[in-house]
Every structure is written in C-alpha cells, then in structure tokens.
Amino acid sequence: MNPDEIKVKGENPRIILHNFSSSDDMLVGGKIEYIPDGDCLMAQVDRGGKVVSLTPVWPQGFESVQENNKRGVADTDSGTFLEGDNVQASGTFLDADDEAMAEVGIDSPCRSSRGFVVFNKGSFTNG
C-alpha cells in the first residue's frame, strides 16, 4: 500500500485497511460486531456517553479471520480480535463525509452514517 492509501480487503468479513503516514494519538475503541447483511465488521463505540456504531479502519497488515464461528481481524503483532471483543488502541475518529474516506468502496450497512474509528498500528490492547 502507498502512504495514506485506504482499501477494502478480504471476505467474510470484508475489512477496511489504512496506511496513513500520520494519525491522531487519542485512545479509541469499542466492541466489535459482525454485520451479516454486509459481511463486515462494525465497532460499537462510546462517544460522550452514547454508544454509536462506527466503521472500523484497521492498519495495514491486518487480515480478516474466522475462529470458533466468529468473525474478526488478526495481525501477527497485535493479535486476534473477534466479534464480541472489546478493542482499544490509539487512533482517531473521522466523520462519515471525511475526504480521506470518500472513495473507500464500501456502502451501507458497512459504512456507518456516524463515521469511522481509525486504529493505529502497534497500539492495540484487548480492552
């Protein structure tokens, strides 16, 4: 991937990957949820006391996985995160209409109207 590139990869589930050269470094996270209608993952995130569904954007190197009849993502450095897991990492939030996500190539129900949660590489904990 080129710097600042975004792409959709995998199937069952499809995931969005990024290779941003820089990103905010705040603590972000949520509970991973599988969306069968779209064959994708969403993150249930607490935003100011209200839980909203956001589209997760994973760092380059993550792969879609299935284990024990659950879907999720895995990376050799960060581990495996399956539906139902709580994930925390450094990262940022992007609005649904953010220019960086304009041509991501994923639609509803996998593209949240509330926006995106972007996770930074190497900063994950199984929250």
Side-chain angles (χ1 to χ4, degrees), residues 16-28:
I16 302 172
L17 300 176
H18 75 84
N19 192 23
F20 293 151
S21 56
S22 63
S23 178
D24 288 346
D25 199 21
M26 69 173 109
L27 184 63
V28 297

Side-chain angles (χ1 to χ4, degrees), residues 41-55:
L41 301 174
M42 297 296 275
Q44 299 301 314
V45 177
D46 185 334
R47 296 286 316 256
K50 181 178 179 183
V51 176
V52 295
S53 185
L54 300 178
T55 303

Side-chain angles (χ1 to χ4, degrees), residues 18 58-62 75-78 89-90 119-124:
H18 75 84
W58 308 94
Q60 177 183 351
F62 272 78
D75 172 78
T76 54
D77 296 327
S78 303
S90 66
F119 297 114
N120 292 341
K121 188 161 186 73
S123 65
F124 287 83

Side-chain angles (χ1 to χ4, degrees), residues 6 16-18 20 55-57 94-106 111 116 118:
I6 299 168
I16 302 172
L17 300 176
H18 75 84
F20 293 151
T55 303
V57 183
L94 297 176
D95 291 334
D97 61 353
D98 191 285
E99 183 178 310
M101 305 306 290
E103 296 182 29
V104 74
I106 200 162
R111 185 182 183 115
F116 301 86
V118 180

